[in-house]
Each structure stands twice: as C-alpha cells, then as structure tokens.
Amino acid sequence: DSSLNYVREEGETLKLSKKDIVAEGEFENGDRAQFVDLGNETELRYLCVEALSSWGGDTHTAIAELHLVDAEGTWLDRDPWKVIYADSEEIRAESASAANVTDNQPVTFWHTQYKGKAKGSNGKHPHQIVIDLGKVMKVKQLRYLPRNGPNPGKVKAFRVYGSVERFEGLNP
C-alpha cells in the first residue's frame, strides 16, 4: 500500500560488500540481550544488521532494540540515529516498523512483513536493517535485544556491516 510509510524507498536495492563486515556469528536462542564484539574500535556512520536465519526456522526477522557501545563501555546516544532502510517491515497487520529498534521501548519491535506481499523483498532471509548514526562514531560492541517470548523471527545467524560511507544501492 503506497499510502503506508515504509522506511525502504522505491527503487532501493541494498548492495553490501564483504569488506564492510565487522562481525558475524550466531546469537543464542532466548530473550536476553546479547553483545557482539566488533573487534578493535570501529569507525562507522552507517550500520547494517543482516539476519541470515532465525531460531524458529521461519522466514522472518524480529528485533526489539539495537544499541552501540564505545571502547569505554558507554552506550552511544541514539537521538540522532535514523533507520534509513529495511528490506521488509510489517506495518499493515501490526505496528512493527523498523524504527522500533531505536525507540527505547523493549516491548516494541521491528518485524519483517508477513501480511500480503512483502514490499520490495522476497520475504525470505537474509533480512537487513540499516541505521544512519548521524555522524561518524567509534564503536566497540553492538547490543542486540530480541523480541520477547516464544515468537517468530529471533535472529540466529547474523552479519554486522559498518561503513563511514552510505551503503551502495541506498538513495541519498
């Protein structure tokens, strides 16, 4: 429905490069927050979390909150952050927009679309969300909070990408 406010803009096709991978692995199954070490402190302005699979074996992705932590253990201010891309988001059947990952409400979440045809996506993994941090920041860790409870879309395998330049395929 073109009247709905999707984050993904018409004509955008995200193209990720292996050179921008800053972490990859598997999250544990469950409801607790988990930290991903990005190795040495990494400078980035654009962050992409790519879900490669889910713990339920379904085709969905759901994330409650994302945070970044610097080398001193301080959580970075998310006020200037803006979600600029999600390959898919459910805003027809429920309020599960991609913007929910930065709203400081752990009970809300981003969920990929499950009602109707997924806008611009094939509806299967991988699923990506991209955040513009507003400026270049130095980060050490990513904090991932899954959707709570026995719900679909909890991320299993993932990749984290970081870049000081906008990822290819996204509108300026």
Side-chain angles (χ1 to χ4, degrees):
D1 184 341
S2 61
S3 69
L4 296 174
N5 191 21
Y6 291 96
V7 171
R8 184 178 187 172
E9 293 180 19
E10 198 65 40
E12 285 186 315
T13 303
L14 179 64
K15 295 175 185 150
L16 297 168
S17 171
K18 289 184 180 186
K19 73 175 179 56
D20 293 328
I21 296 173
V22 293
E24 55 188 320
E26 270 190 15
F27 289 117
E28 295 175 10
N29 193 7
D31 294 342
R32 69 177 187 82
Q34 298 171 57
F35 288 87
V36 176
D37 189 358
L38 304 181
N40 295 327
E41 199 170 40
T42 302
E43 283 192 349
L44 59 99
R45 175 172 176 168
Y46 298 94
L47 171 75
C48 175
V49 176
E50 181 178 49
L52 303 172
S53 61
S54 71
W55 276 103
D58 53 72
T59 61
H60 301 292
T61 293
I63 298 174
E65 293 287 320
L66 293 171
H67 289 88
L68 291 172
V69 182
D70 68 16
E72 287 76 42
T74 304
W75 291 24
L76 300 178
D77 179 19
R78 296 187 307 169
D79 285 344
W81 294 13
K82 181 178 180 186
V83 176
I84 60 170
Y85 178 89
D87 75 301
S88 172
E89 56 189 328
E90 183 55 72
I91 58 178
R92 294 173 70 189
E94 65 180 313
S95 180
S97 125
N100 289 345
V101 302
T102 63
D103 69 356
N104 289 317
Q105 301 293 323
V107 295
T108 64
F109 50 88
W110 164 51
H111 195 294
T112 53
Q113 188 171 349
Y114 56 83
K115 182 162 179 79
K117 185 175 185 241
K119 179 185 185 327
S121 169
N122 66 9
K124 299 177 183 175
H125 287 102
H127 292 293
Q128 303 93 10
I129 185 169
V130 176
I131 300 170
D132 178 352
L133 307 179
K135 65 181 181 179
V136 175
M137 297 181 167
K138 291 182 178 182
V139 300
K140 177 76 172 138
Q141 292 181 313
L142 169 86
R143 180 182 180 268
Y144 155 80
L145 181 66
R147 180 182 181 191
N148 197 16
N151 294 300
K154 288 186 183 198
V155 179
K156 184 176 181 182
F158 68 87
R159 283 190 196 115
V160 179
Y161 298 80
S163 178
V164 294
E165 302 293 328
R166 198 174 194 92
F167 296 112
E168 188 178 340
L170 301 183
N171 295 339

